[in-house]
PDB file of all heavy atoms in Angstrom:
ATOM      1  N   MET A 114     -87.183  -2.051 -21.208  1.00 42.00           N
ATOM      2  CA  MET A 114     -86.768  -3.188 -22.000  1.00 42.00           C
ATOM      3  C   MET A 114     -85.302  -3.090 -22.369  1.00 42.00           C
ATOM      4  O   MET A 114     -84.596  -4.075 -22.363  1.00 42.00           O
ATOM      5  CB  MET A 114     -87.666  -3.225 -23.294  1.00 42.00           C
ATOM      6  CG  MET A 114     -87.424  -4.437 -24.091  1.00 42.00           C
ATOM      7  SD  MET A 114     -88.041  -5.855 -23.209  1.00 42.00           S
ATOM      8  CE  MET A 114     -87.874  -7.102 -24.401  1.00 42.00           C
ATOM      9  N   LYS A 115     -84.827  -1.875 -22.663  1.00 40.00           N
ATOM     10  CA  LYS A 115     -83.438  -1.663 -22.968  1.00 40.00           C
ATOM     11  C   LYS A 115     -82.509  -1.997 -21.790  1.00 40.00           C
ATOM     12  O   LYS A 115     -81.506  -2.590 -21.968  1.00 40.00           O
ATOM     13  CB  LYS A 115     -83.155  -0.245 -23.441  1.00 40.00           C
ATOM     14  CG  LYS A 115     -81.752  -0.007 -23.889  1.00 40.00           C
ATOM     15  CD  LYS A 115     -81.565   1.366 -24.470  1.00 40.00           C
ATOM     16  CE  LYS A 115     -80.100   1.520 -24.683  1.00 40.00           C
ATOM     17  NZ  LYS A 115     -79.681   2.121 -25.800  1.00 40.00           N
ATOM     18  N   ILE A 116     -82.981  -1.721 -20.588  1.00 41.00           N
ATOM     19  CA  ILE A 116     -82.205  -2.048 -19.371  1.00 41.00           C
ATOM     20  C   ILE A 116     -82.093  -3.580 -19.231  1.00 41.00           C
ATOM     21  O   ILE A 116     -81.018  -4.060 -18.968  1.00 41.00           O
ATOM     22  CB  ILE A 116     -82.840  -1.423 -18.149  1.00 41.00           C
ATOM     23  CG1 ILE A 116     -82.733   0.068 -18.200  1.00 41.00           C
ATOM     24  CG2 ILE A 116     -82.191  -1.947 -16.855  1.00 41.00           C
ATOM     25  CD1 ILE A 116     -83.461   0.812 -17.091  1.00 41.00           C
ATOM     26  N   LEU A 117     -83.211  -4.288 -19.493  1.00 35.00           N
ATOM     27  CA  LEU A 117     -83.136  -5.769 -19.421  1.00 35.00           C
ATOM     28  C   LEU A 117     -82.231  -6.363 -20.434  1.00 35.00           C
ATOM     29  O   LEU A 117     -81.480  -7.305 -20.173  1.00 35.00           O
ATOM     30  CB  LEU A 117     -84.584  -6.342 -19.562  1.00 35.00           C
ATOM     31  CG  LEU A 117     -85.442  -6.270 -18.347  1.00 35.00           C
ATOM     32  CD1 LEU A 117     -86.818  -6.791 -18.670  1.00 35.00           C
ATOM     33  CD2 LEU A 117     -84.822  -7.082 -17.232  1.00 35.00           C
ATOM     34  N   SER A 118     -82.279  -5.835 -21.668  1.00 35.00           N
ATOM     35  CA  SER A 118     -81.430  -6.426 -22.665  1.00 35.00           C
ATOM     36  C   SER A 118     -79.923  -6.068 -22.416  1.00 35.00           C
ATOM     37  O   SER A 118     -79.061  -6.904 -22.656  1.00 35.00           O
ATOM     38  CB  SER A 118     -81.800  -5.920 -24.087  1.00 35.00           C
ATOM     39  OG  SER A 118     -81.745  -4.515 -24.190  1.00 35.00           O
ATOM     40  N   THR A 119     -79.659  -4.905 -21.854  1.00 33.00           N
ATOM     41  CA  THR A 119     -78.261  -4.520 -21.497  1.00 33.00           C
ATOM     42  C   THR A 119     -77.781  -5.399 -20.359  1.00 33.00           C
ATOM     43  O   THR A 119     -76.700  -5.920 -20.370  1.00 33.00           O
ATOM     44  CB  THR A 119     -78.237  -3.040 -21.129  1.00 33.00           C
ATOM     45  OG1 THR A 119     -78.726  -2.247 -22.217  1.00 33.00           O
ATOM     46  CG2 THR A 119     -76.819  -2.624 -20.764  1.00 33.00           C
ATOM     47  N   LEU A 120     -78.660  -5.641 -19.425  1.00 35.00           N
ATOM     48  CA  LEU A 120     -78.322  -6.469 -18.247  1.00 35.00           C
ATOM     49  C   LEU A 120     -78.044  -7.931 -18.702  1.00 35.00           C
ATOM     50  O   LEU A 120     -77.083  -8.574 -18.343  1.00 35.00           O
ATOM     51  CB  LEU A 120     -79.429  -6.467 -17.220  1.00 35.00           C
ATOM     52  CG  LEU A 120     -79.198  -7.305 -15.977  1.00 35.00           C
ATOM     53  CD1 LEU A 120     -78.001  -6.854 -15.231  1.00 35.00           C
ATOM     54  CD2 LEU A 120     -80.405  -7.221 -15.056  1.00 35.00           C
ATOM     55  N   PHE A 121     -78.955  -8.472 -19.590  1.00 35.00           N
ATOM     56  CA  PHE A 121     -78.739  -9.789 -20.157  1.00 35.00           C
ATOM     57  C   PHE A 121     -77.476  -9.900 -20.944  1.00 35.00           C
ATOM     58  O   PHE A 121     -76.700 -10.873 -20.757  1.00 35.00           O
ATOM     59  CB  PHE A 121     -79.959 -10.126 -21.067  1.00 35.00           C
ATOM     60  CG  PHE A 121     -79.830 -11.463 -21.736  1.00 35.00           C
ATOM     61  CD1 PHE A 121     -79.962 -12.646 -20.988  1.00 35.00           C
ATOM     62  CD2 PHE A 121     -79.483 -11.525 -23.064  1.00 35.00           C
ATOM     63  CE1 PHE A 121     -79.851 -13.886 -21.606  1.00 35.00           C
ATOM     64  CE2 PHE A 121     -79.316 -12.767 -23.703  1.00 35.00           C
ATOM     65  CZ  PHE A 121     -79.527 -13.923 -22.938  1.00 35.00           C
ATOM     66  N   LEU A 122     -77.174  -8.920 -21.741  1.00 34.00           N
ATOM     67  CA  LEU A 122     -75.910  -8.943 -22.507  1.00 34.00           C
ATOM     68  C   LEU A 122     -74.663  -8.847 -21.571  1.00 34.00           C
ATOM     69  O   LEU A 122     -73.698  -9.580 -21.821  1.00 34.00           O
ATOM     70  CB  LEU A 122     -75.907  -7.761 -23.506  1.00 34.00           C
ATOM     71  CG  LEU A 122     -74.656  -7.698 -24.423  1.00 34.00           C
ATOM     72  CD1 LEU A 122     -74.572  -8.906 -25.280  1.00 34.00           C
ATOM     73  CD2 LEU A 122     -74.783  -6.436 -25.296  1.00 34.00           C
ATOM     74  N   SER A 123     -74.770  -8.101 -20.558  1.00 37.00           N
ATOM     75  CA  SER A 123     -73.656  -7.990 -19.573  1.00 37.00           C
ATOM     76  C   SER A 123     -73.454  -9.341 -18.899  1.00 37.00           C
ATOM     77  O   SER A 123     -72.266  -9.796 -18.740  1.00 37.00           O
ATOM     78  CB  SER A 123     -73.965  -6.950 -18.576  1.00 37.00           C
ATOM     79  OG  SER A 123     -74.046  -5.668 -19.147  1.00 37.00           O
ATOM     80  N   VAL A 124     -74.502  -9.955 -18.480  1.00 36.00           N
ATOM     81  CA  VAL A 124     -74.367 -11.286 -17.814  1.00 36.00           C
ATOM     82  C   VAL A 124     -73.847 -12.309 -18.789  1.00 36.00           C
ATOM     83  O   VAL A 124     -72.939 -13.108 -18.444  1.00 36.00           O
ATOM     84  CB  VAL A 124     -75.707 -11.724 -17.231  1.00 36.00           C
ATOM     85  CG1 VAL A 124     -75.669 -13.201 -16.775  1.00 36.00           C
ATOM     86  CG2 VAL A 124     -76.130 -10.782 -16.074  1.00 36.00           C
ATOM     87  N   LEU A 125     -74.267 -12.293 -19.949  1.00 35.00           N
ATOM     88  CA  LEU A 125     -73.807 -13.201 -21.017  1.00 35.00           C
ATOM     89  C   LEU A 125     -72.307 -13.014 -21.244  1.00 35.00           C
ATOM     90  O   LEU A 125     -71.582 -13.996 -21.378  1.00 35.00           O
ATOM     91  CB  LEU A 125     -74.597 -13.016 -22.306  1.00 35.00           C
ATOM     92  CG  LEU A 125     -74.305 -13.975 -23.454  1.00 35.00           C
ATOM     93  CD1 LEU A 125     -74.635 -15.417 -23.038  1.00 35.00           C
ATOM     94  CD2 LEU A 125     -75.080 -13.574 -24.669  1.00 35.00           C
TER      95      LEU A 125
END
Side-chain angles (χ1 to χ4, degrees):
M114 187 69 173
K115 183 174 173 138
I116 293 174
L117 280 177
S118 62
T119 303
L120 181 61
F121 176 74
L122 182 59
S123 298
V124 170
L125 184 62

